[in-house]
Amino acid sequence: MKLSHLLAAGALLVLLPSCTTSTHRTSLRQASPVRIDQLREGATQTQYSYWSDHGVSAPLRVRIDLSEQTAYFFRGAVKVGQSRVATGRAGHSTPTGSFTISQKVAAKRSTLYGRIYDAGGKVVVHDADTRRHSIPEGGKFVGCPMPYWMRLSWKGLGMHQGRVPRSPVSHGCVRMPSKVASTIYSK
């Protein structure tokens, strides 16, 4: 998997490029590529990710570049890591803006997206949306797992663990690799 990363859970903001700089902020935006900084001693690196905050104790923030499908992690002004992410696919774009983490749930399931099963336990809708699909009599809806959920808006936008291919595939959330999501959640 990718590597461990961070967030200041109670104070994290997702920030538009036009907003003023402050501590505990994160950006969701379209941007030009940013090169990976030289790794500091003791850094961890995988194919798409790295993390190295040794000796840096400033507040945490994250900038998510939607065009690159990459999250950049900072402590104050120092870039301490990055990771590939997966954001919203066509028709479910990830909104840009400023957000504060308002809720954390370690083992959340989606209340909107998941699978619908019939009374016999057979999947009848693989990519169900509870606003469009009905549950057959005796059947059930099972929401998609979203481990390490960090809510950014009450309209269902959040960051969480999930599959991270090379393109936008989510219903609008920011999916992160397992180690990244769990570390950010804990920070």
Side-chain angles (χ1 to χ4, degrees):
M1 283 266 135
K2 309 298 184 253
L3 55 91
S4 299
H5 295 323
L6 56 119
L7 272 189
L12 178 71
L13 293 176
V14 180
L15 154 77
L16 273 175
S18 62
C19 295
T20 59
T21 304
S22 176
T23 58
H24 305 294
R25 294 217 176 184
T26 298
S27 299
L28 285 173
R29 68 183 187 108
Q30 301 290 17
S32 57
V34 176
R35 81 175 194 45
I36 298 175
D37 294 339
Q38 289 284 82
L39 293 176
R40 287 179 281 289
E41 185 177 330
T44 305
Q45 182 173 13
T46 66
Q47 185 176 2
Y48 302 111
S49 306
Y50 78 88
W51 171 252
S52 175
D53 72 342
H54 304 289
V56 183
S57 61
L60 309 173
R61 67 183 173 94
V62 177
R63 188 185 88 226
I64 298 171
D65 186 312
L66 300 176
S67 63
E68 292 180 9
Q69 295 293 285
T70 302
Y72 297 94
F73 300 90
F74 298 86
R75 280 198 180 267
V78 178
K79 182 178 171 188
V80 295
Q82 74 181 49
S83 176
R84 181 176 300 285
V85 296
T87 61
R89 66 186 186 211
H92 295 279
S93 61
T94 300
T96 58
S98 295
F99 307 92
T100 300
I101 291 180
S102 56
Q103 178 187 44
K104 291 180 8 177
V105 180
K108 181 169 175 50
R109 286 193 168 268
S110 177
T111 58
L112 296 177
Y113 305 107
R115 293 185 174 173
I116 295 178
Y117 296 84
D118 65 15
K122 179 182 173 191
V123 176
V124 291
V125 182
H126 288 276
D127 190 15
D129 180 333
T130 58
R131 299 164 296 187
R132 293 189 352 239
H133 300 100
S134 14
I135 301 168
E137 187 173 331
K140 67 179 179 179
F141 168 80
V142 177
C144 291
M146 301 185 308
Y148 305 112
W149 168 254
M150 294 164 278
R151 182 181 296 279
L152 299 175
S153 83
W154 289 101
K155 293 183 179 182
L157 175 65
M159 296 185 294
H160 60 83
Q161 176 185 320
R163 189 173 64 87
V164 181
R166 294 182 177 268
S167 60
V169 294
S170 80
H171 287 101
C173 285
V174 177
R175 293 184 191 170
M176 300 180 160
S178 177
K179 289 181 181 178
V180 173
S182 65
T183 300
I184 289 173
Y185 183 90
S186 71
K187 302 279 184 181

